[in-house]
Amino acid sequence: MADILASLRSLMASQSPPLDALLVPSEDYHQSEYVSARDKRREFVSGFTGSAGLALITKNEARLWTDGRYFLQATQQLSDQWKLMRIGEDPPLDVWMSDNLQKEAATGIDPWCVSVDTAQRWERAFAKKNQKLVQTSTNLVDEIWKNRPPAEINPAVDHPLEFAGRSVAEKLKALREKLSSEKARGIIITALDEVAWLYNIRGSDVSYSPVVHAFAIVTLNSAFLYVDKRKVSSKVSSSLQANGIEVREYGAVSSDAAMLASNQLDQATGVNFGQNGVCQNDTCDNDLIWVDPASCCYALFSKLDAKKVLLQQSPLALAKALKNPVELDGLKNAHIRDGAAVVQYLVWLDKQMQEIYGASGYFLEGEVTSKKIPETMKLTEVSVSDKLEGFRASKEHFRGLSFPTISSVGPNAAIIHYSPQAKTCAELDPNSIYLFDSGAQYLDGTTDITRTVHFGKPSAHEKACYTSVLKGHIALGNARFPNGTNGYSLDILARIPLWRYGLDYRHGTGHGIGSYLNVHEGPHQISFRPQARNVPLQVSMTVTDAEVITNCIRKFLFPEPGYYEDGNFGIRLENVLVIKEADTEFNFGDKGYLSFEHITWAPYQIKLIDLSILTPEEIQWLNRYHSKCREFLAPYLDKNEMEWLKKATEPFLFISLLPITSSLGYHCSIHLLLGIWWPHDVIGTPLTLNFIAVDEGMKTSAGGNR
């Protein structure tokens, strides 16, 4: 790592002007979250493998900014040559640079790897001390990265209408109408998922995301795809040409952006102006070029006349997020098959944990029977996640994972985006919580699910934490809200049950999800971050409902200095939801109301739930959800798997008796929680009923069992 930093600093000094600092972002030329191996420049220079982060290298320092998902991971992976800067806790990068770099300092960037809004924000911050943002002619990291992975030539493929739901012609027509309404004559599209969605193509240029490295330019009269032509078969080429799309080499986008700015691009193609009926030759007053400042790279923006640029969120972002009926059906079907794979995995893992480790298993709470385990039989975070991928791979339309599986035991579960490695990952432990966050790409949809389980005897603290997460999960999923509500307003619903115990998590609660596209999809989100205010939630959007507790440590203080940790773990539960119209009794303000529909199906572990913390409504919701799990997954499970699922989803019965006066003089209602969830190997033993008596102020006045 020291050699890398020394080489970069030598290159920085050789630039004209010499650079006082160099910024190395995580993003590629398309501002992608997940990038190809050859675009992991920030990982190469820092050693930090998380998907989000920004490296700053000065003459004497190296700092890395990342968000709360990665604090623990970055602490473990960064060498002592680097200093971690925690977003939300430490000064933002632009503020730190403005305050700490000398006057007129020059900071280098590769303008292809930085978005317009990011570059402009930095320029504003640097102007206070006449500091300069310098666009380097080449990427300095690439110059020293001797074994940089080569570019792969992966074929682009058509995404059939049976899965896409809307034709390319329909999408282009709607896009051009939007351009015309905004007085724009063209748009530069740089986000890979937007290019793929608009042209109904998919690829495999980026791990976990079925996209092609490509740009697009669309005018009122023409359309272009900029891609390595070796990736485009004659079949795909014919399909594109049939929709009026001209295929050009990937690198030609730079010169074509300049031609677009000078209004020469259409003329150069020989297109008859106005052939699409949107704009006629002499009457067109559209003169703007639409650029999304969050996704368009600064290099392409620099080719345009800034006075004639419409800097506004891409119209494709919302169009892509509003799923059509075919996409919604596909997503629902994909999640059912995916849920079956998750259940098959849990059945297998439950059996393995009992047979290999002597665990009491998924259903029973008991001490682990100590066993001497041969090395070849041990289960690791990686080996079990590979097994989960195998169950998914057996399902129809499977095309790969949607992100690296987070398979984590005990303390590793506290690392939000933990990525286990075969050589260093942990062995499974029947006495610890196990969390798996995973998803898959299917031709008809993208999935994302998280479950947390325990195969031994969970502590009361672990149960309380799990149940608090579940309560937030249910609260958000059951929300009803008026049209116009954004995700910022709903985020609090998931956190209130955690706040009661002084718990929280450092990241957003929910994100959109693609239709055989990116697992993280905007423009909407459910989050405490200001961006979540920008887009209201709308019917047919998808969004995840992910509640988390990380690094859940219980501290016991003793007279002497210090503390002991009893448990160090993380808990996460995540489903995908579809936004739909809500059937409400009233309609205040004639706004119309919305609600969520769960489309993820896999059980919550009853053993980890503290029933005394749940309300009757929450128990009823859990029963209904588990009933649907049995209904939807049954066709995909064999007899043994279905028996396991029935056992995992047996309902609870909540009985509320009429108000009575207790012997203590309290006016109260007696509530009975009947545990119909019942281990099959103890059927026939006397039934115990747990009861809680509460007064009108909801204070417990009596309790026991019968």
Side-chain angles (χ1 to χ4, degrees), residues 360-620:
S360 54
Y362 187 89
F363 301 105
L364 298 180
E365 295 187 44
E367 301 299 330
V368 175
T369 304
S370 180
K371 286 187 175 185
K372 187 175 182 180
I373 306 166
E375 198 67 31
T376 55
M377 292 182 64
K378 290 181 179 179
L379 301 177
T380 69
E381 293 167 329
V382 168
S383 67
V384 296
S385 68
D386 289 345
K387 189 70 176 181
L388 173 56
E389 182 175 355
F391 284 118
R392 284 190 161 111
S394 68
K395 300 296 178 282
E396 185 182 18
H397 301 319
F398 176 80
R399 289 298 182 272
L401 300 181
S402 57
F403 58 97
T405 297
I406 300 168
S407 174
S408 51
V409 176
N412 290 338
I415 303 173
I416 299 173
H417 274 200
Y418 173 70
S419 180
Q421 304 299 313
K423 293 182 180 180
T424 58
C425 67
E427 181 183 0
L428 263 63
D429 179 2
N431 293 308
S432 296
I433 273 179
Y434 171 63
L435 181 155
F436 62 102
D437 182 351
S438 62
Q441 296 286 4
Y442 301 94
L443 284 175
D444 52 352
T446 302
T447 68
D448 185 0
I449 177 177
T450 308
R451 288 295 183 266
T452 303
V453 294
H454 200 303
F455 293 101
K457 187 175 182 179
S459 68
H461 178 54
E462 288 171 325
K463 289 183 179 182
C465 288
Y466 182 95
T467 309
S468 297
V469 171
L470 178 61
K471 286 173 72 71
H473 182 74
I474 294 172
L476 179 59
N478 282 347
R480 292 189 177 190
F481 47 96
N483 271 304
T485 302
N486 55 45
Y488 185 88
S489 302
L490 296 183
D491 182 76
I492 190 175
L493 297 177
R495 299 179 191 270
I496 287 175
L498 303 182
W499 289 350
R500 179 180 178 185
Y501 298 98
L503 299 169
D504 205 349
Y505 46 97
R506 291 189 178 98
H507 57 81
T509 300
H511 57 82
I513 192 165
S515 177
Y516 187 39
L517 273 175
N518 291 352
V519 71
H520 295 153
E521 180 178 88
H524 60 292
Q525 57 182 299
I526 298 177
S527 176
F528 60 89
R529 294 190 173 92
Q531 303 95 297
R533 295 190 180 109
N534 297 340
V535 179
L537 301 177
Q538 299 177 44
V539 170
S540 79
M541 283 180 170
T542 57
V543 67
T544 58
D545 176 3
E547 276 63 59
V548 186
I549 293 179
T550 60
N551 206 26
C552 197
I553 303 170
R554 193 169 194 174
K555 301 177 181 178
F556 293 91
L557 301 179
F558 290 83
E560 65 271 25
Y563 65 87
Y564 294 90
E565 297 179 356
D566 178 22
N568 184 352
F569 55 89
I571 293 169
R572 177 155 68 248
L573 298 172
E574 182 177 24
N575 282 3
V576 173
L577 315 174
V578 173
I579 300 173
K580 63 178 184 178
E581 292 182 355
D583 182 17
T584 56
E585 183 176 358
F586 304 102
N587 184 18
F588 180 81
D590 292 326
K591 292 182 177 181
Y593 282 71
L594 305 176
S595 62
F596 295 115
E597 174 187 356
H598 286 258
I599 63 172
T600 298
W601 305 108
Y604 304 97
Q605 191 176 23
I606 304 295
K607 186 170 77 173
L608 270 171
I609 299 175
D610 182 345
L611 286 172
S612 69
I613 300 176
L614 294 183
T615 66
E617 292 77 17
E618 290 166 340
I619 293 173
Q620 290 169 6

